[in-house]
Amino acid sequence: MLSPRFLLRRLRFPVTFVLFVLLGSPLVAQTTQADQPPPPSPLPTSGMQEGDEGAAARVDASDHDSLQAAIDALPVAGGVVKIPPGVFEISQPLEVRTGDTRIEGSGTATQIRNVNTEGAAAVVIRPDDFENQPRARLWRVEVCNLRITGNSESGVGIDAVGVQEAVFRNVSVDRNGSHGIRMERCLENPRVIGCNLTYNNGSGLRLLGGHDIVVSANQFEENLDAVTLTDGFNLTFTGNNVDDHLRHGVVVENSYGSVIASNMIEECAGTAVVLDRDCYGIAVSGNAIAHHLGGGVDLKDAWGCTVTGNNFVLVHEFSVRISKDSGRHTVTGNQFTNSYIGEGKIRRADGIDAEQPWRKDVCAGIVLEETEDVLISSNQFSGLTTRAVETRGACERLMVTHNLITDHGRGLPEGTEPIETGDATESVFEPNMIQGR
């Protein structure tokens, strides 16, 4: 039989809960009311009164004599500058020196045209008095929905220095005499998303420092290089379209923990992806690396990287090269191929135009130069004009196994072996499935 004390203990919580529901709790009600945020205050417009410096502002550039005057109308707290459609010619850089600021146009109908011919940038974003306080930082500046153009003698399109959590979104930056977008010491979480960076004389995007960098869903065309990252780390470069560059596609120096994945990188005069100057722990994965006159992925000075799941097609000099300053890499699950489309047909015929060598049906394999500790496995090599794997110099601890090699060495003498072991020591080169020459 249950004791009254036990029953009282069991009923205590339900009785309290019922009393709370029926009678309410002033303490709880007061706490709930206090926790609710106050209603938002509307942003002041550009016609602010004196004393409003502490509030963010919404500025309509059409209310001002110039774009710089509109930007200068922002208080220290920042705000939004809305630029209407039109072509706005400038001869001196537009300077943004407030944080929590957005410069927003009306799509490409808003064009800022830099007519400066002395190497000056179109837009400069940096903290006030940065020259005397180089460690100063701005936070959260965004430029979006507009077009910035230059000329062969102008400078950078957008030059951001010391800006944390900078965002460039849906911006077209083209025909500048230097880089399209340059970001120096933008250390925290820089983002470049959905931009069109084309025909710039420098890099489409130049990154100096920074970490946790997101560069996604952009289009790069006919810059000198598409993207260059120096002395930064944790780059996420995904879903971009890189086409027709005068030198290289993606160049990463002194970085680690980065991902270059799911991009289309085509027709660079140089190399699609270059990892140099003490890179390590970088994944190059799932990219279409097509029709480069130089190379595909060049591991010049990199360690512990993975090259996997890429499609190397019509790459001329080498699809993957691992140099003497690199090692401990894994190259697996890639496709190395020419323009074969079945039934003995190829899309591009050798020698179709001797003056245009890019028309030739060329595809190169892997080159290993005095490297060590490299695993090359489960790749398919087909339609190569070179060997599948070539070693140069004294390599150590190579494992080249379980690859499928067919229709190889089309540009080499009859009987050339598809794998050149050279002077490699402590290495394994079988089993592999090899068919045809």
Side-chain angles (χ1 to χ4, degrees):
M1 182 174 179
L2 298 176
S3 67
R5 180 177 296 177
F6 180 82
L7 290 173
L8 182 60
R9 186 184 303 120
R10 294 294 302 271
L11 290 172
R12 185 176 299 160
F13 173 75
V15 170
T16 305
F17 179 74
V18 171
L19 290 174
F20 168 78
V21 172
L22 293 176
L23 301 179
S25 171
L27 177 62
V28 173
Q30 291 171 7
T31 303
T32 304
Q33 185 176 6
D35 285 347
Q36 292 180 349
S41 300
L43 287 174
T45 65
S46 58
M48 293 185 301
Q49 302 299 317
E50 186 177 355
D52 289 339
E53 295 86 353
R58 181 182 291 114
V59 176
D60 187 339
S62 61
D63 293 337
H64 295 267
D65 294 336
S66 67
L67 293 183
Q68 187 62 62
I71 295 170
D72 291 343
L74 290 173
V76 174
V80 178
V81 175
K82 182 69 176 179
I83 306 176
V87 177
F88 301 86
E89 287 194 350
I90 59 171
S91 58
Q92 296 297 322
L94 298 175
E95 297 189 355
V96 180
R97 295 178 180 265
T98 57
D100 291 306
T101 294
R102 175 191 293 178
I103 309 299
E104 181 175 2
S106 303
T108 54
T110 299
Q111 180 185 356
I112 298 173
R113 180 184 296 167
N114 186 6
V115 297
N116 183 281
T117 57
E118 297 179 354
V123 178
V124 174
I125 308 170
R126 60 182 176 182
D128 195 26
D129 198 27
F130 184 80
E131 297 81 359
N132 299 318
Q133 301 181 54
R135 298 181 65 86
R137 297 288 182 267
L138 287 182
W139 283 85
R140 296 171 297 274
V141 177
E142 178 178 2
V143 178
C144 62
N145 301 331
L146 50 78
R147 181 184 178 198
I148 296 174
T149 62
N151 60 79
S152 61
E153 298 178 280
S154 64
V156 178
I158 301 176
D159 196 13
V161 183
V163 184
Q164 313 290 58
E165 298 184 7
V167 179
F168 301 108
R169 178 171 53 85
N170 195 28
V171 179
S172 292
V173 186
D174 58 278
R175 294 172 174 81
N176 291 280
S178 182
H179 311 298
I181 297 176
R182 177 181 176 273
M183 305 176 74
E184 179 181 354
R185 285 177 278 179
C186 298
L187 304 179
E188 289 284 344
N189 304 351
R191 285 163 286 169
V192 180
I193 303 170
C195 294
N196 195 31
L197 306 172
T198 58
Y199 314 114
N200 297 290
N201 287 351
S203 299
L205 174 61
R206 180 74 172 111
L207 299 163
L208 298 165
H211 62 83
D212 303 338
I213 306 161
V214 172
V215 180
S216 183
N218 302 285
Q219 291 183 280
F220 300 86
E221 183 166 0
E222 290 194 39
N223 305 287
L224 178 61
D225 302 313
V227 178
T228 52
L229 167 63
T230 302
D231 302 334
F233 57 93
N234 298 150
L235 166 67
T236 300
F237 187 82
T238 59
N240 299 285
N241 189 292
V242 177
D243 185 36
D244 290 353
H245 282 77
L246 305 182
R247 189 167 60 185
H248 303 310
V250 182
V251 180
V252 178
E253 298 181 342
N254 189 27
S255 179
Y256 86 99
S258 296
V259 176
I260 301 170
S262 301
N263 303 286
M264 196 294 298
I265 310 176
E266 182 195 27
E267 291 192 1
C268 293
T271 298
V273 178
V274 180
L275 304 185
D276 200 2
R277 288 187 54 234
D278 298 326
C279 285
Y280 63 100
I282 294 175
V284 182
S285 178
N287 301 286
I289 297 177
H291 206 191
H292 299 279
L293 299 185
V297 175
D298 194 359
L299 303 174
K300 296 183 69 173
D301 183 359
W303 296 85
C305 298
T306 301
V307 180
T308 182
N310 301 286
N311 204 355
F312 297 93
V313 55
L314 300 173
V315 181
H316 284 218
E317 291 188 14
F318 57 87
S319 287
V320 177
R321 180 169 66 184
I322 304 175
S323 78
K324 64 180 181 180
D325 295 319
S326 296
R328 299 186 179 182
H329 298 304
T330 297
V331 182
T332 183
N334 300 285
Q335 176 76 44
F336 302 82
T337 188
N338 64 338
S339 64
Y340 183 75
I341 55 175
E343 299 180 351
K345 299 178 182 178
I346 57 176
R347 181 70 69 183
R348 300 172 186 270
D350 280 329
I352 188 171
D353 187 340
E355 295 182 358
Q356 298 185 41
W358 59 269
R359 297 293 297 273
K360 294 184 179 181
D361 191 56
V362 173
C363 187
I366 298 174
V367 176
L368 307 175
E369 299 178 341
E370 300 182 33
T371 186
E372 61 189 39
D373 302 317
V374 176
L375 171 63
I376 299 174
S377 177
S378 301
N379 301 285
Q380 179 161 174
F381 300 87
S382 59
L384 269 63
T385 49
T386 68
R387 301 178 191 268
V389 179
E390 178 180 348
T391 64
R392 298 173 182 173
C395 298
E396 298 179 315
R397 295 179 300 281
L398 308 179
M399 181 170 285
V400 183
T401 64
H402 295 90
N403 300 285
L404 174 59
I405 305 172
T406 183
D407 185 20
H408 58 87
R410 292 182 297 112
L412 299 175
E414 190 74 29
T416 300
E417 294 294 328
I419 299 175
E420 171 58 61
T421 60
D423 298 326
T425 59
E426 301 180 72
S427 299
V428 175
F429 292 96
E430 56 184 21
N432 293 285
M433 180 174 288
I434 301 172
Q435 181 185 31
R437 58 161 302 189

